[in-house]
Amino acid sequence: MKKLTVLIFVLISFSGLAQTGSYTVMDTTMGLPSNQISCLKVISPNEYWVGTYDKGAAKYLNGSWSYYNTHNTLLPDSFIHDIEIDKTGKIWVSTIAGIGIFNGTTWQIID
């Protein structure tokens, strides 16, 4: 498995069909729990989920961050492989020790 270490991630947002865009560099000084990013799932320009190699997952919504890890959720590990959203809106978070499914309020774990 190829390990990807990202010191920062860049969110690129394009307006309409314009050829130019804008971006914001996000790192721990801007609220990320870690600069070691493993995955990113953009739900909308104002909502996205970030997985890290060492600090769990984080959700960005309208300028605020929420953090999900082994200390405050049922997630089986804080090493996040991937994050996906299903057609019902549930967030699926795969870790090295199992999968967490978040319905917006509670977590269900599949290990």
Side-chain angles (χ1 to χ4, degrees), residues 32-111:
L32 276 174
S34 172
N35 288 331
Q36 296 185 16
I37 306 304
S38 59
C39 59
L40 171 68
K41 184 67 176 180
V42 178
I43 296 172
S44 74
N46 294 318
E47 181 180 2
Y48 46 90
W49 284 75
V50 179
T52 71
Y53 285 116
D54 58 345
K55 302 285 184 178
K59 175 185 172 183
Y60 179 85
L61 179 61
N62 297 323
S64 297
W65 288 97
S66 298
Y67 307 102
Y68 305 93
N69 55 52
T70 57
H71 301 290
N72 63 4
T73 71
L74 297 175
L75 277 175
D77 200 274
S78 288
F79 185 125
I80 308 299
H81 278 288
D82 197 13
I83 299 173
E84 291 295 332
I85 184 169
D86 68 18
K87 61 184 175 184
T88 68
K90 292 179 183 172
I91 304 296
W92 292 63
V93 179
S94 69
T95 75
I96 62 171
I99 296 172
I101 305 167
F102 186 58
N103 67 9
T105 305
T106 60
W107 287 88
Q108 173 188 355
I109 304 304
I110 302 171
D111 48 346

Side-chain angles (χ1 to χ4, degrees), residues 9-26 45-46 48:
F9 84 82
V10 178
L11 174 67
I12 301 174
S13 59
F14 294 99
S15 59
L17 299 174
Q19 293 294 318
T20 61
S22 63
Y23 65 91
T24 302
V25 176
M26 304 291 271
N46 294 318
Y48 46 90

